[in-house]
Amino acid sequence: MRNSEAMALSAALLAVAGELTQRIHDGVVARGFEGLRPAHGFAFARLAPDGATVTDLAGHLGVTKQAASQLVDEIVRKGYAERRPHPEDARARLVVLTERGWACTRAAEEAAADAVRAWGDALGEGEMRTLLEQLARIAPNGPIRPAW
């Protein structure tokens, strides 16, 4: 692949990722969850399974502990998460989603499904499966980080 083709592919992938992030965010807002930024969604993805410490969240987002702590303060203040005692470490606090946070997470999943459904309309089911398989082969392992 020539450099110009590699750059075109890179630009296309970044554009798709950016549009997907924006469509999910717009869908969350349309479903009544305001006062959030796309970065909050990346945090919710880490908190969703069983909660996380601020240190865990910082690592997931690729930010400092101070930045993660500020983000946690914000989502706690807005009612999307709460701090609880950590069940295994008395020195740590576990940040978990509240029911409002879980509802927002479900809204994001619905918005993502809507966005991907539109791709299926354009590409067809077979090409969508192929796209998923090909992207899964080259996608990095680990957390998905926001593009700051």
Side-chain angles (χ1 to χ4, degrees), residues 17-74:
E19 181 174 340
L20 178 60
T21 300
Q22 189 61 51
R23 290 195 57 192
I24 292 170
H25 178 70
D26 292 346
V28 166
V29 171
R31 288 165 173 83
F33 297 95
E34 297 190 9
L36 295 172
R37 301 183 314 271
H40 293 119
F42 289 95
F44 286 15
R46 176 62 184 91
L47 299 176
D50 299 307
T53 65
V54 169
T55 301
D56 295 335
L57 189 57
H60 174 78
L61 296 174
V63 300
T64 65
K65 287 187 347 184
Q66 292 82 4
S69 183
Q70 289 175 348
L71 188 139
V72 168
D73 288 345
E74 188 177 355

Side-chain angles (χ1 to χ4, degrees), residues 46-131:
R46 176 62 184 91
L47 299 176
D50 299 307
T53 65
V54 169
T55 301
D56 295 335
L57 189 57
H60 174 78
L61 296 174
V63 300
T64 65
K65 287 187 347 184
Q66 292 82 4
S69 183
Q70 289 175 348
L71 188 139
V72 168
D73 288 345
E74 188 177 355
I75 62 176
V76 165
R77 187 174 59 253
K78 293 177 179 187
Y80 291 102
E82 64 185 12
R83 290 180 179 91
R84 293 184 182 163
H86 196 288
E88 298 168 8
D89 183 351
R91 298 169 294 150
R93 303 281 289 169
L94 194 62
V95 182
V96 297
L97 295 176
T98 61
E99 184 50 45
R100 178 175 168 86
W102 281 107
C104 184
T105 299
R106 288 188 296 273
E109 289 172 356
E110 292 169 5
D114 290 345
V116 171
R117 197 171 297 111
W119 298 347
D121 294 343
L123 297 176
E125 190 173 325
E127 284 190 47
M128 282 294 291
R129 280 199 184 98
T130 300
L131 177 62

